[in-house]
Structure formats: structure tokens, C-alpha cells
Amino acid sequence: MTDDKPAAPKRPLTLRDVSEASGVSEMTVSRVLRNRGDVSEATRTRVLAAAKDLGYVPNKIAGALASQRVNLVAVIIPSLSNMVFPRVLTAISDVLDNTPLQPVVGVTNYLPEREEKVLYEMLSWRPSGVIIAGLEHSEAAKAMLRSAGIPIVEIMDTDGTPIDSVVGISHRRAGRMMAETIVKAGYRKIGFLGTKMPLDHRARKRFEGFTEALAKAGLEVVDQEFYAGGSALAKGREMTAAILERSPEIDFLYYSNDMIGAGGLLHCLDAGIDVPGRLGLAGFNGIELLDGFSMQLATMDSCRAEIGRKAAEIIAQGAEVSVSDGGPTRGRRVELNPTIRHGNTLRLRPSEGLYPE
């Protein structure tokens, strides 16, 4: 007969357990685990080895009672399904790996009320900093960020007034740059395809810059197609087929992101449409996944990795500075310069008679 009773749960390990295993005082163990105080390298090695062997994990909440902060960085983004953000998160993680700080991710799904909830929960843990996408937040979210007393970095967008620090690109400028490039290439009947923009503020700003530059050239968007939901190849195929059927005179399609742009390219290839001669295409973000396509979609590098790195560096530097006066570290503004990649779907000027490799 076997005894099927589950084993009694073990009690949580304490500093005393590590102290006994390493043969040093609890105070010394605490100094080593908090990386504080003057401790010899031999003792530090012995304590860390004992803690690792035991599987001991320090109680950060207990430490936070004294310091009022834990070594967490709240990273708040609108989506995990959007392929823009993994590159940003990787860069943040790479920088923070060299510090005591650890990123913790919250997702808002582009909803202001969810952003408030995520921000409230994360700030309740008293993180050492916040990295949050965008400059548009509810008044409640802005109030929480202003009163947090920690470094705040808003990322991806510089078209607006930040709470503290900001790292990103000007999306209005990005839209203008793409429009100017399309016009110089000789395209005149231009369509736009993208997300429904009341909640996607960065796409809205690019569209505003895009239409502004077209207007200066005496042009306007011939037709538009919008959708709700995540970026997807299938959606790009569907939208492209719909807009070309409705407005067959269009000679260029500008997509708000690369994924739907790649779907549009696949539709054109299947339909035998001459790209970029009969129809030019361009997306936005410079998604690496599309590098494997036989035909490269024209796009714009939105500096995602550099945005993540710069934001994490600001947080890491700010976490080392005392904010005992109740205010955040002094704000910094880092505006990066996006670049256009012509790929194979955006011809050069007609007079040049050449296409980029």
C-alpha cells in the first residue's frame, strides 16, 4: 500500500538558513544579497554559492519597506502581438541585464482605461522606473506618472509634451518623409491602408504628416482602407484587394505598418501586378521577419532597438540618483532619425531608370 498524501510544504528559506550554510552572520548575508557594504570577495562568493545551492530568493518586499523601491522597471506597451515591440523589449532587457534592475511588462491593448489599471497595479509595487509607450494618456494616468517620484520614460513618439523623459521619433516627420519620397518617385494616385486611428496615435500622426506633405505637392489621398485589430498578413491581402477593386487607378499604396504591407505585396504578386512599375508599395517599422521575402517591401526603420536601449539607459542612470525630494530625475529628450529603405517596391525617380538593389 502506498501513501498518496502530498508532502508537507517546506517553510520559506530565510537569511538564517543562508547564514548557517555559509558560516557568516545574517547581517553579512544581507549585505551580500543587497550588494551593499564592505564585504570581501571570498565571503561574497561563499554567500552567493550557499544561496544558490539552497535555492534562496530574497524577499524584495521586505527590502522595499525600508527603501520604498524594488528593483523592477515597469514596461507598459500596447500589444505583444504587434511585432514592433519585441525588438524594443529585447533592447530594454539587454541594457538592464547589466544592472540590478528587472523589466516587468504590462499590456494595454491600446485602451486608455486598461493603461490606467496596468499603471496603477505596477506603481503599487513601487518600481524603480517606468517605460511607457506613447505620449497620450488619460488624466488619471498622467497624475499617477507625475506623482510617482521615479524616472519616467515615454517611448516611440516625440510629437508632444512628455511627463519626464522621452525617447522616440517624430511620426509626423516620418509620414512627411515617406510622402515626399513617393511623390519624387513619380507616383500621383496614392491610397492609404491602416489601423483605425483614434486609439493608435502614432499611426494617426504619420497619416497627418503624410497628407500634409501630399497637399504641399498638390495631391491628396485617393482612397483609404482602415481596420480594427492586430497587424496581419491576411488582413493586408484583404484590404489591398478591396481598395484596388474600388479604386483601380491607384498607383501607390502606403500602409501604416509592414505586416499589412507585406500582405498587400503577396496579393499583388499573386494577382500578377507589376510592382513597383504599375503599383508601388511601402510600409513602416522595418520588421526583420520580412527580410526573407523574395521581394523586399519599401519601409522606414523606426529605430526600435535604439529606442529601447536609450530608454533603459535613462532608467538605469536615474535609478542611481536619489529622488528623496519627491520628484523624478530631470527629463531628457532623445529624438532619433528614421530612415527610408526603398526595397524593391518603391522605384527611384522615373528619369533615373534604375531600381535599388
Side-chain angles (χ1 to χ4, degrees):
M1 183 175 180
T2 59
D3 186 358
D4 294 330
K5 291 183 179 179
K10 293 182 178 180
R11 65 172 177 81
L13 293 169
T14 66
L15 284 178
R16 176 172 293 183
D17 295 306
V18 182
S19 171
E20 292 175 351
S22 60
V24 302
S25 69
E26 291 181 40
M27 180 66 73
T28 300
V29 171
S30 177
R31 287 174 179 166
V32 170
L33 297 178
R34 291 186 297 114
N35 199 26
R36 298 287 189 273
D38 185 15
V39 180
S40 72
E41 192 58 37
T43 299
R44 184 180 303 278
T45 300
R46 189 162 70 250
V47 169
L48 292 175
K52 182 177 181 179
D53 290 343
L54 290 170
Y56 176 76
V57 178
N59 185 344
K60 294 291 189 180
I61 300 302
L65 295 176
S67 68
Q68 296 298 306
R69 297 287 167 222
V70 294
N71 285 340
L72 299 178
V73 176
V75 182
I76 302 174
I77 59 175
S79 172
L80 282 174
S81 61
N82 187 329
M83 297 196 67
V84 170
F85 293 101
R87 185 79 183 273
V88 178
L89 293 174
T90 298
I92 291 171
S93 180
D94 286 346
V95 171
L96 296 185
D97 273 349
N98 299 316
T99 76
L101 302 173
Q102 179 68 36
V104 179
V105 178
V107 180
T108 69
N109 297 326
Y110 292 95
L111 300 174
E113 61 273 18
R114 181 166 175 79
E115 182 179 83
E116 281 183 27
K117 181 179 179 181
V118 170
L119 184 59
Y120 178 88
E121 292 297 331
M122 287 191 156
L123 288 177
S124 72
W125 287 94
R126 298 298 186 266
S128 294
V130 174
I131 297 174
I132 186 167
L135 291 165
E136 285 76 21
H137 316 288
S138 69
E139 290 304 316
K142 288 179 182 178
M144 285 188 280
L145 290 168
R146 290 191 186 105
S147 62
I150 55 177
I152 307 293
V153 183
E154 290 161 285
I155 60 171
M156 312 308 292
D157 186 8
T158 60
D159 293 316
T161 304
I163 300 293
D164 181 8
S165 295
V166 62
V167 180
I169 66 170
S170 166
H171 286 264
R172 289 193 177 93
R173 180 183 173 216
R176 288 195 298 269
M177 288 172 62
M178 184 58 79
E180 290 164 357
T181 300
I182 292 168
V183 171
K184 286 179 181 177
Y187 298 102
R188 292 294 179 268
K189 297 177 180 178
I190 301 161
F192 178 84
L193 304 92
T195 58
K196 291 186 176 179
M197 293 179 288
L199 296 178
D200 190 342
H201 298 288
R202 292 173 291 285
R204 171 181 56 79
K205 292 172 184 178
R206 286 197 302 279
F207 184 65
E208 289 170 355
F210 186 74
T211 54
E212 174 188 314
L214 289 184
K216 286 183 178 180
L219 301 173
E220 60 182 21
V221 171
V222 172
D223 199 354
Q224 307 170 35
E225 184 82 10
F226 298 100
Y227 75 104
S231 307
L233 291 172
K235 182 59 69 173
R237 279 179 174 269
E238 175 188 322
M239 295 169 68
T240 302
I243 197 171
L244 291 178
E245 181 177 358
R246 191 169 60 236
S247 303
E249 74 277 15
I250 285 175
D251 63 7
F252 198 95
L253 291 174
Y254 178 43
Y255 299 82
S256 68
N257 62 67
D258 283 345
M259 292 306 291
I260 57 173
L265 175 57
L266 292 176
H267 167 77
C268 291
L269 293 175
D270 288 348
I273 298 173
D274 174 18
V275 177
R278 158 69 185 85
L279 181 69
L281 309 172
F284 179 81
N285 271 319
I287 298 294
E288 293 78 8
L289 177 68
L290 305 185
D291 290 346
F293 276 46
S294 59
M295 194 171 197
Q296 293 296 300
L297 178 70
T299 186
M300 179 173 280
D301 178 5
S302 57
C303 310
R304 291 169 295 136
E306 193 171 358
I307 286 172
R309 283 195 297 271
K310 294 290 186 183
E313 288 168 1
I314 291 172
I315 291 293
Q317 293 163 7
E320 297 175 357
V321 178
S322 172
V323 289
S324 57
D325 61 355
T329 56
R330 186 174 182 178
R332 291 176 56 188
R333 180 182 181 86
V334 180
E335 182 169 324
L336 303 171
N337 297 314
T339 55
I340 292 177
R341 301 176 185 171
H342 285 76
N344 308 111
T345 65
L346 173 58
R347 68 187 180 218
L348 297 180
R349 297 185 186 186
S351 60
E352 293 175 323
L354 297 172
Y355 297 98
E357 296 182 358

PDB file of all heavy atoms in Angstrom, residues 169-201:
ATOM      1  N   ILE A 169      10.788  58.803 -32.175  1.00  0.00           N
ATOM      2  CA  ILE A 169      10.886  59.534 -33.433  1.00  0.00           C
ATOM      3  C   ILE A 169       9.664  60.435 -33.568  1.00  0.00           C
ATOM      4  O   ILE A 169       8.656  60.236 -32.878  1.00  0.00           O
ATOM      5  CB  ILE A 169      10.956  58.591 -34.645  1.00  0.00           C
ATOM      6  CG1 ILE A 169       9.640  57.822 -34.802  1.00  0.00           C
ATOM      7  CG2 ILE A 169      12.144  57.646 -34.531  1.00  0.00           C
ATOM      8  CD1 ILE A 169       9.530  57.035 -36.106  1.00  0.00           C
ATOM      9  N   SER A 170       9.763  61.404 -34.462  1.00  0.00           N
ATOM     10  CA  SER A 170       8.598  62.210 -34.809  1.00  0.00           C
ATOM     11  C   SER A 170       7.818  61.470 -35.886  1.00  0.00           C
ATOM     12  O   SER A 170       8.306  61.299 -37.006  1.00  0.00           O
ATOM     13  CB  SER A 170       9.020  63.584 -35.324  1.00  0.00           C
ATOM     14  OG  SER A 170       7.919  64.227 -35.952  1.00  0.00           O
ATOM     15  N   HIS A 171       6.623  61.014 -35.560  1.00  0.00           N
ATOM     16  CA  HIS A 171       5.826  60.271 -36.534  1.00  0.00           C
ATOM     17  C   HIS A 171       5.254  61.188 -37.600  1.00  0.00           C
ATOM     18  O   HIS A 171       5.052  60.755 -38.747  1.00  0.00           O
ATOM     19  CB  HIS A 171       4.734  59.475 -35.818  1.00  0.00           C
ATOM     20  CG  HIS A 171       5.283  58.277 -35.110  1.00  0.00           C
ATOM     21  ND1 HIS A 171       5.298  57.023 -35.656  1.00  0.00           N
ATOM     22  CD2 HIS A 171       5.894  58.167 -33.902  1.00  0.00           C
ATOM     23  CE1 HIS A 171       5.871  56.180 -34.818  1.00  0.00           C
ATOM     24  NE2 HIS A 171       6.240  56.850 -33.747  1.00  0.00           N
ATOM     25  N   ARG A 172       4.995  62.426 -37.265  1.00  0.00           N
ATOM     26  CA  ARG A 172       4.547  63.368 -38.294  1.00  0.00           C
ATOM     27  C   ARG A 172       5.657  63.570 -39.328  1.00  0.00           C
ATOM     28  O   ARG A 172       5.414  63.599 -40.534  1.00  0.00           O
ATOM     29  CB  ARG A 172       4.148  64.703 -37.663  1.00  0.00           C
ATOM     30  CG  ARG A 172       2.854  64.640 -36.865  1.00  0.00           C
ATOM     31  CD  ARG A 172       2.316  66.016 -36.529  1.00  0.00           C
ATOM     32  NE  ARG A 172       1.044  65.914 -35.835  1.00  0.00           N
ATOM     33  CZ  ARG A 172       0.904  65.886 -34.521  1.00  0.00           C
ATOM     34  NH1 ARG A 172       1.976  65.975 -33.740  1.00  0.00           N
ATOM     35  NH2 ARG A 172      -0.286  65.785 -33.956  1.00  0.00           N
ATOM     36  N   ARG A 173       6.879  63.692 -38.850  1.00  0.00           N
ATOM     37  CA  ARG A 173       8.015  63.832 -39.764  1.00  0.00           C
ATOM     38  C   ARG A 173       8.184  62.568 -40.600  1.00  0.00           C
ATOM     39  O   ARG A 173       8.462  62.639 -41.807  1.00  0.00           O
ATOM     40  CB  ARG A 173       9.285  64.107 -38.963  1.00  0.00           C
ATOM     41  CG  ARG A 173      10.518  64.274 -39.828  1.00  0.00           C
ATOM     42  CD  ARG A 173      11.761  64.476 -38.988  1.00  0.00           C
ATOM     43  NE  ARG A 173      12.950  64.476 -39.831  1.00  0.00           N
ATOM     44  CZ  ARG A 173      14.109  63.962 -39.470  1.00  0.00           C
ATOM     45  NH1 ARG A 173      14.252  63.406 -38.296  1.00  0.00           N
ATOM     46  NH2 ARG A 173      15.140  64.008 -40.277  1.00  0.00           N
ATOM     47  N   ALA A 174       8.013  61.400 -39.975  1.00  0.00           N
ATOM     48  CA  ALA A 174       8.139  60.134 -40.709  1.00  0.00           C
ATOM     49  C   ALA A 174       7.120  60.064 -41.845  1.00  0.00           C
ATOM     50  O   ALA A 174       7.437  59.636 -42.967  1.00  0.00           O
ATOM     51  CB  ALA A 174       7.954  58.960 -39.757  1.00  0.00           C
ATOM     52  N   GLY A 175       5.877  60.478 -41.579  1.00  0.00           N
ATOM     53  CA  GLY A 175       4.845  60.488 -42.613  1.00  0.00           C
ATOM     54  C   GLY A 175       5.176  61.448 -43.740  1.00  0.00           C
ATOM     55  O   GLY A 175       4.993  61.132 -44.929  1.00  0.00           O
ATOM     56  N   ARG A 176       5.707  62.625 -43.378  1.00  0.00           N
ATOM     57  CA  ARG A 176       6.087  63.606 -44.405  1.00  0.00           C
ATOM     58  C   ARG A 176       7.217  63.070 -45.276  1.00  0.00           C
ATOM     59  O   ARG A 176       7.197  63.209 -46.499  1.00  0.00           O
ATOM     60  CB  ARG A 176       6.517  64.924 -43.743  1.00  0.00           C
ATOM     61  CG  ARG A 176       5.380  65.716 -43.129  1.00  0.00           C
ATOM     62  CD  ARG A 176       5.798  67.150 -42.835  1.00  0.00           C
ATOM     63  NE  ARG A 176       6.892  67.216 -41.861  1.00  0.00           N
ATOM     64  CZ  ARG A 176       6.725  67.308 -40.537  1.00  0.00           C
ATOM     65  NH1 ARG A 176       5.496  67.325 -40.031  1.00  0.00           N
ATOM     66  NH2 ARG A 176       7.758  67.394 -39.730  1.00  0.00           N
ATOM     67  N   MET A 177       8.212  62.447 -44.636  1.00  0.00           N
ATOM     68  CA  MET A 177       9.348  61.902 -45.383  1.00  0.00           C
ATOM     69  C   MET A 177       8.896  60.870 -46.403  1.00  0.00           C
ATOM     70  O   MET A 177       9.355  60.870 -47.556  1.00  0.00           O
ATOM     71  CB  MET A 177      10.350  61.265 -44.415  1.00  0.00           C
ATOM     72  CG  MET A 177      11.143  62.250 -43.586  1.00  0.00           C
ATOM     73  SD  MET A 177      12.130  61.403 -42.299  1.00  0.00           S
ATOM     74  CE  MET A 177      13.214  60.383 -43.305  1.00  0.00           C
ATOM     75  N   MET A 178       7.995  59.990 -46.013  1.00  0.00           N
ATOM     76  CA  MET A 178       7.535  58.949 -46.933  1.00  0.00           C
ATOM     77  C   MET A 178       6.740  59.563 -48.080  1.00  0.00           C
ATOM     78  O   MET A 178       6.917  59.180 -49.245  1.00  0.00           O
ATOM     79  CB  MET A 178       6.707  57.905 -46.195  1.00  0.00           C
ATOM     80  CG  MET A 178       6.268  56.735 -47.075  1.00  0.00           C
ATOM     81  SD  MET A 178       7.657  55.832 -47.843  1.00  0.00           S
ATOM     82  CE  MET A 178       8.190  54.821 -46.458  1.00  0.00           C
ATOM     83  N   ALA A 179       5.869  60.521 -47.776  1.00  0.00           N
ATOM     84  CA  ALA A 179       5.088  61.164 -48.832  1.00  0.00           C
ATOM     85  C   ALA A 179       5.996  61.862 -49.835  1.00  0.00           C
ATOM     86  O   ALA A 179       5.805  61.762 -51.060  1.00  0.00           O
ATOM     87  CB  ALA A 179       4.100  62.155 -48.227  1.00  0.00           C
ATOM     88  N   GLU A 180       7.000  62.577 -49.356  1.00  0.00           N
ATOM     89  CA  GLU A 180       7.924  63.293 -50.244  1.00  0.00           C
ATOM     90  C   GLU A 180       8.680  62.319 -51.143  1.00  0.00           C
ATOM     91  O   GLU A 180       8.890  62.583 -52.330  1.00  0.00           O
ATOM     92  CB  GLU A 180       8.899  64.128 -49.400  1.00  0.00           C
ATOM     93  CG  GLU A 180       8.239  65.318 -48.718  1.00  0.00           C
ATOM     94  CD  GLU A 180       9.087  65.914 -47.604  1.00  0.00           C
ATOM     95  OE1 GLU A 180      10.188  65.350 -47.333  1.00  0.00           O
ATOM     96  OE2 GLU A 180       8.655  66.908 -46.988  1.00  0.00           O
ATOM     97  N   THR A 181       9.066  61.168 -50.587  1.00  0.00           N
ATOM     98  CA  THR A 181       9.782  60.158 -51.366  1.00  0.00           C
ATOM     99  C   THR A 181       8.891  59.554 -52.446  1.00  0.00           C
ATOM    100  O   THR A 181       9.320  59.354 -53.592  1.00  0.00           O
ATOM    101  CB  THR A 181      10.293  59.040 -50.431  1.00  0.00           C
ATOM    102  OG1 THR A 181      11.169  59.614 -49.454  1.00  0.00           O
ATOM    103  CG2 THR A 181      11.043  57.968 -51.210  1.00  0.00           C
ATOM    104  N   ILE A 182       7.648  59.291 -52.109  1.00  0.00           N
ATOM    105  CA  ILE A 182       6.701  58.717 -53.067  1.00  0.00           C
ATOM    106  C   ILE A 182       6.441  59.686 -54.220  1.00  0.00           C
ATOM    107  O   ILE A 182       6.428  59.301 -55.392  1.00  0.00           O
ATOM    108  CB  ILE A 182       5.380  58.362 -52.346  1.00  0.00           C
ATOM    109  CG1 ILE A 182       5.605  57.200 -51.375  1.00  0.00           C
ATOM    110  CG2 ILE A 182       4.279  58.017 -53.357  1.00  0.00           C
ATOM    111  CD1 ILE A 182       4.452  56.966 -50.413  1.00  0.00           C
ATOM    112  N   VAL A 183       6.251  60.949 -53.887  1.00  0.00           N
ATOM    113  CA  VAL A 183       5.989  61.966 -54.915  1.00  0.00           C
ATOM    114  C   VAL A 183       7.198  62.120 -55.828  1.00  0.00           C
ATOM    115  O   VAL A 183       7.062  62.198 -57.062  1.00  0.00           O
ATOM    116  CB  VAL A 183       5.614  63.307 -54.253  1.00  0.00           C
ATOM    117  CG1 VAL A 183       5.563  64.424 -55.301  1.00  0.00           C
ATOM    118  CG2 VAL A 183       4.272  63.185 -53.537  1.00  0.00           C
ATOM    119  N   LYS A 184       8.397  62.155 -55.248  1.00  0.00           N
ATOM    120  CA  LYS A 184       9.616  62.296 -56.062  1.00  0.00           C
ATOM    121  C   LYS A 184       9.794  61.122 -57.015  1.00  0.00           C
ATOM    122  O   LYS A 184      10.389  61.259 -58.078  1.00  0.00           O
ATOM    123  CB  LYS A 184      10.834  62.417 -55.149  1.00  0.00           C
ATOM    124  CG  LYS A 184      10.953  63.762 -54.457  1.00  0.00           C
ATOM    125  CD  LYS A 184      12.177  63.791 -53.544  1.00  0.00           C
ATOM    126  CE  LYS A 184      12.282  65.139 -52.828  1.00  0.00           C
ATOM    127  NZ  LYS A 184      13.437  65.162 -51.884  1.00  0.00           N
ATOM    128  N   ALA A 185       9.274  59.954 -56.608  1.00  0.00           N
ATOM    129  CA  ALA A 185       9.393  58.763 -57.459  1.00  0.00           C
ATOM    130  C   ALA A 185       8.413  58.782 -58.623  1.00  0.00           C
ATOM    131  O   ALA A 185       8.447  57.896 -59.481  1.00  0.00           O
ATOM    132  CB  ALA A 185       9.190  57.506 -56.628  1.00  0.00           C
ATOM    133  N   GLY A 186       7.514  59.766 -58.655  1.00  0.00           N
ATOM    134  CA  GLY A 186       6.610  59.916 -59.786  1.00  0.00           C
ATOM    135  C   GLY A 186       5.216  59.357 -59.591  1.00  0.00           C
ATOM    136  O   GLY A 186       4.392  59.406 -60.512  1.00  0.00           O
ATOM    137  N   TYR A 187       4.914  58.840 -58.414  1.00  0.00           N
ATOM    138  CA  TYR A 187       3.567  58.325 -58.145  1.00  0.00           C
ATOM    139  C   TYR A 187       2.634  59.501 -57.842  1.00  0.00           C
ATOM    140  O   TYR A 187       3.027  60.476 -57.201  1.00  0.00           O
ATOM    141  CB  TYR A 187       3.587  57.361 -56.967  1.00  0.00           C
ATOM    142  CG  TYR A 187       4.442  56.131 -57.190  1.00  0.00           C
ATOM    143  CD1 TYR A 187       5.710  56.043 -56.631  1.00  0.00           C
ATOM    144  CD2 TYR A 187       3.992  55.072 -57.960  1.00  0.00           C
ATOM    145  CE1 TYR A 187       6.515  54.923 -56.822  1.00  0.00           C
ATOM    146  CE2 TYR A 187       4.782  53.945 -58.168  1.00  0.00           C
ATOM    147  CZ  TYR A 187       6.035  53.873 -57.592  1.00  0.00           C
ATOM    148  OH  TYR A 187       6.819  52.770 -57.786  1.00  0.00           O
ATOM    149  N   ARG A 188       1.376  59.387 -58.297  1.00  0.00           N
ATOM    150  CA  ARG A 188       0.454  60.511 -58.133  1.00  0.00           C
ATOM    151  C   ARG A 188      -0.912  60.110 -57.560  1.00  0.00           C
ATOM    152  O   ARG A 188      -1.593  60.933 -56.960  1.00  0.00           O
ATOM    153  CB  ARG A 188       0.232  61.210 -59.482  1.00  0.00           C
ATOM    154  CG  ARG A 188       1.470  61.939 -60.010  1.00  0.00           C
ATOM    155  CD  ARG A 188       1.827  63.112 -59.110  1.00  0.00           C
ATOM    156  NE  ARG A 188       3.019  63.826 -59.556  1.00  0.00           N
ATOM    157  CZ  ARG A 188       4.253  63.559 -59.145  1.00  0.00           C
ATOM    158  NH1 ARG A 188       4.468  62.568 -58.298  1.00  0.00           N
ATOM    159  NH2 ARG A 188       5.275  64.276 -59.570  1.00  0.00           N
ATOM    160  N   LYS A 189      -1.334  58.870 -57.734  1.00  0.00           N
ATOM    161  CA  LYS A 189      -2.651  58.445 -57.262  1.00  0.00           C
ATOM    162  C   LYS A 189      -2.450  57.466 -56.104  1.00  0.00           C
ATOM    163  O   LYS A 189      -2.248  56.271 -56.301  1.00  0.00           O
ATOM    164  CB  LYS A 189      -3.444  57.818 -58.403  1.00  0.00           C
ATOM    165  CG  LYS A 189      -3.716  58.828 -59.534  1.00  0.00           C
ATOM    166  CD  LYS A 189      -4.429  58.203 -60.705  1.00  0.00           C
ATOM    167  CE  LYS A 189      -4.681  59.247 -61.804  1.00  0.00           C
ATOM    168  NZ  LYS A 189      -5.345  58.652 -62.984  1.00  0.00           N
ATOM    169  N   ILE A 190      -2.481  58.027 -54.921  1.00  0.00           N
ATOM    170  CA  ILE A 190      -1.969  57.324 -53.739  1.00  0.00           C
ATOM    171  C   ILE A 190      -3.101  56.922 -52.803  1.00  0.00           C
ATOM    172  O   ILE A 190      -3.997  57.725 -52.500  1.00  0.00           O
ATOM    173  CB  ILE A 190      -0.957  58.228 -53.007  1.00  0.00           C
ATOM    174  CG1 ILE A 190       0.199  58.568 -53.970  1.00  0.00           C
ATOM    175  CG2 ILE A 190      -0.437  57.556 -51.738  1.00  0.00           C
ATOM    176  CD1 ILE A 190       1.011  59.761 -53.563  1.00  0.00           C
ATOM    177  N   GLY A 191      -3.057  55.686 -52.339  1.00  0.00           N
ATOM    178  CA  GLY A 191      -4.022  55.185 -51.368  1.00  0.00           C
ATOM    179  C   GLY A 191      -3.344  54.899 -50.041  1.00  0.00           C
ATOM    180  O   GLY A 191      -2.131  54.677 -49.978  1.00  0.00           O
ATOM    181  N   PHE A 192      -4.125  54.897 -48.980  1.00  0.00           N
ATOM    182  CA  PHE A 192      -3.602  54.638 -47.630  1.00  0.00           C
ATOM    183  C   PHE A 192      -4.386  53.505 -46.997  1.00  0.00           C
ATOM    184  O   PHE A 192      -5.616  53.456 -47.058  1.00  0.00           O
ATOM    185  CB  PHE A 192      -3.716  55.894 -46.757  1.00  0.00           C
ATOM    186  CG  PHE A 192      -3.244  55.681 -45.344  1.00  0.00           C
ATOM    187  CD1 PHE A 192      -1.896  55.777 -45.029  1.00  0.00           C
ATOM    188  CD2 PHE A 192      -4.147  55.364 -44.332  1.00  0.00           C
ATOM    189  CE1 PHE A 192      -1.453  55.568 -43.732  1.00  0.00           C
ATOM    190  CE2 PHE A 192      -3.715  55.150 -43.038  1.00  0.00           C
ATOM    191  CZ  PHE A 192      -2.360  55.253 -42.741  1.00  0.00           C
ATOM    192  N   LEU A 193      -3.663  52.584 -46.343  1.00  0.00           N
ATOM    193  CA  LEU A 193      -4.292  51.478 -45.629  1.00  0.00           C
ATOM    194  C   LEU A 193      -3.691  51.389 -44.227  1.00  0.00           C
ATOM    195  O   LEU A 193      -2.465  51.399 -44.069  1.00  0.00           O
ATOM    196  CB  LEU A 193      -4.064  50.144 -46.360  1.00  0.00           C
ATOM    197  CG  LEU A 193      -4.533  50.089 -47.816  1.00  0.00           C
ATOM    198  CD1 LEU A 193      -3.389  50.469 -48.761  1.00  0.00           C
ATOM    199  CD2 LEU A 193      -5.039  48.693 -48.170  1.00  0.00           C
ATOM    200  N   GLY A 194      -4.552  51.296 -43.222  1.00  0.00           N
ATOM    201  CA  GLY A 194      -4.003  51.242 -41.866  1.00  0.00           C
ATOM    202  C   GLY A 194      -5.029  50.934 -40.803  1.00  0.00           C
ATOM    203  O   GLY A 194      -6.187  50.630 -41.093  1.00  0.00           O
ATOM    204  N   THR A 195      -4.571  51.021 -39.570  1.00  0.00           N
ATOM    205  CA  THR A 195      -5.434  50.765 -38.425  1.00  0.00           C
ATOM    206  C   THR A 195      -6.409  51.919 -38.233  1.00  0.00           C
ATOM    207  O   THR A 195      -6.165  53.036 -38.675  1.00  0.00           O
ATOM    208  CB  THR A 195      -4.598  50.632 -37.150  1.00  0.00           C
ATOM    209  OG1 THR A 195      -3.848  51.845 -36.958  1.00  0.00           O
ATOM    210  CG2 THR A 195      -3.636  49.477 -37.235  1.00  0.00           C
ATOM    211  N   LYS A 196      -7.517  51.632 -37.546  1.00  0.00           N
ATOM    212  CA  LYS A 196      -8.410  52.711 -37.122  1.00  0.00           C
ATOM    213  C   LYS A 196      -7.652  53.534 -36.094  1.00  0.00           C
ATOM    214  O   LYS A 196      -7.190  53.025 -35.089  1.00  0.00           O
ATOM    215  CB  LYS A 196      -9.696  52.139 -36.542  1.00  0.00           C
ATOM    216  CG  LYS A 196     -10.562  51.476 -37.598  1.00  0.00           C
ATOM    217  CD  LYS A 196     -11.907  51.026 -37.040  1.00  0.00           C
ATOM    218  CE  LYS A 196     -12.775  50.450 -38.155  1.00  0.00           C
ATOM    219  NZ  LYS A 196     -14.084  49.980 -37.662  1.00  0.00           N
ATOM    220  N   MET A 197      -7.542  54.815 -36.336  1.00  0.00           N
ATOM    221  CA  MET A 197      -6.520  55.582 -35.645  1.00  0.00           C
ATOM    222  C   MET A 197      -6.916  56.357 -34.401  1.00  0.00           C
ATOM    223  O   MET A 197      -6.062  56.985 -33.792  1.00  0.00           O
ATOM    224  CB  MET A 197      -5.846  56.511 -36.646  1.00  0.00           C
ATOM    225  CG  MET A 197      -5.044  55.742 -37.671  1.00  0.00           C
ATOM    226  SD  MET A 197      -4.246  56.778 -38.893  1.00  0.00           S
ATOM    227  CE  MET A 197      -5.646  57.315 -39.853  1.00  0.00           C
ATOM    228  N   PRO A 198      -8.161  56.376 -33.953  1.00  0.00           N
ATOM    229  CA  PRO A 198      -8.416  57.088 -32.697  1.00  0.00           C
ATOM    230  C   PRO A 198      -7.586  56.560 -31.535  1.00  0.00           C
ATOM    231  O   PRO A 198      -7.203  57.309 -30.646  1.00  0.00           O
ATOM    232  CB  PRO A 198      -9.914  56.849 -32.463  1.00  0.00           C
ATOM    233  CG  PRO A 198     -10.475  56.650 -33.823  1.00  0.00           C
ATOM    234  CD  PRO A 198      -9.408  55.919 -34.578  1.00  0.00           C
ATOM    235  N   LEU A 199      -7.272  55.253 -31.536  1.00  0.00           N
ATOM    236  CA  LEU A 199      -6.505  54.667 -30.438  1.00  0.00           C
ATOM    237  C   LEU A 199      -5.035  54.478 -30.795  1.00  0.00           C
ATOM    238  O   LEU A 199      -4.204  54.363 -29.898  1.00  0.00           O
ATOM    239  CB  LEU A 199      -7.117  53.323 -30.024  1.00  0.00           C
ATOM    240  CG  LEU A 199      -8.537  53.394 -29.447  1.00  0.00           C
ATOM    241  CD1 LEU A 199      -9.044  51.999 -29.123  1.00  0.00           C
ATOM    242  CD2 LEU A 199      -8.572  54.275 -28.200  1.00  0.00           C
ATOM    243  N   ASP A 200      -4.701  54.422 -32.074  1.00  0.00           N
ATOM    244  CA  ASP A 200      -3.308  54.294 -32.489  1.00  0.00           C
ATOM    245  C   ASP A 200      -2.798  55.686 -32.844  1.00  0.00           C
ATOM    246  O   ASP A 200      -2.802  56.107 -34.001  1.00  0.00           O
ATOM    247  CB  ASP A 200      -3.186  53.340 -33.681  1.00  0.00           C
ATOM    248  CG  ASP A 200      -1.738  52.984 -33.995  1.00  0.00           C
ATOM    249  OD1 ASP A 200      -0.833  53.706 -33.533  1.00  0.00           O
ATOM    250  OD2 ASP A 200      -1.509  51.988 -34.705  1.00  0.00           O
ATOM    251  N   HIS A 201      -2.347  56.405 -31.820  1.00  0.00           N
ATOM    252  CA  HIS A 201      -1.982  57.810 -32.002  1.00  0.00           C
ATOM    253  C   HIS A 201      -0.784  57.982 -32.930  1.00  0.00           C
ATOM    254  O   HIS A 201      -0.704  58.957 -33.686  1.00  0.00           O
ATOM    255  CB  HIS A 201      -1.681  58.446 -30.644  1.00  0.00           C
ATOM    256  CG  HIS A 201      -2.845  58.443 -29.713  1.00  0.00           C
ATOM    257  ND1 HIS A 201      -3.940  59.268 -29.892  1.00  0.00           N
ATOM    258  CD2 HIS A 201      -3.106  57.701 -28.607  1.00  0.00           C
ATOM    259  CE1 HIS A 201      -4.820  59.037 -28.933  1.00  0.00           C
ATOM    260  NE2 HIS A 201      -4.342  58.089 -28.146  1.00  0.00           N
TER     261      HIS A 201
END
